[in-house]
Amino acid sequence: MKFISLNSRGGNYLVVAENVAWLRDYENGQTQVGMVGGAPLLVSGKIEEIAASILAQANAPT
């Protein structure tokens, strides 16, 4: 199980990488991150930036 960090304007999230289901562009430079079995998270950054960050963190050596 690999945890990744997602930054939000209201606080930061630490989520299990395998639980990220989808990304959706949102307003004001934010992205919704769909989570398996839960409500979507609203995080700071464009969809391309968030996708790159998730992949980089998930594929980083431990």
Side-chain angles (χ1 to χ4, degrees):
M1 178 171 20
K2 179 112 181 192
F3 285 93
I4 58 172
S5 174
L6 298 173
N7 297 326
S8 168
R9 293 181 181 168
N12 298 330
Y13 297 101
L14 204 57
V15 301
V16 175
E18 292 84 9
N19 286 349
V20 174
W22 50 264
L23 302 176
R24 180 177 293 151
D25 201 22
Y26 200 69
E27 58 191 24
N28 299 323
Q30 299 179 93
T31 299
Q32 283 187 320
V33 179
M35 303 302 297
V36 172
L41 306 174
L42 188 59
V43 299
S44 299
K46 294 284 185 188
I47 195 169
E48 295 84 6
E49 298 167 352
I50 301 303
S53 174
I54 290 170
L55 288 174
Q57 291 181 70
N59 294 326
T62 45

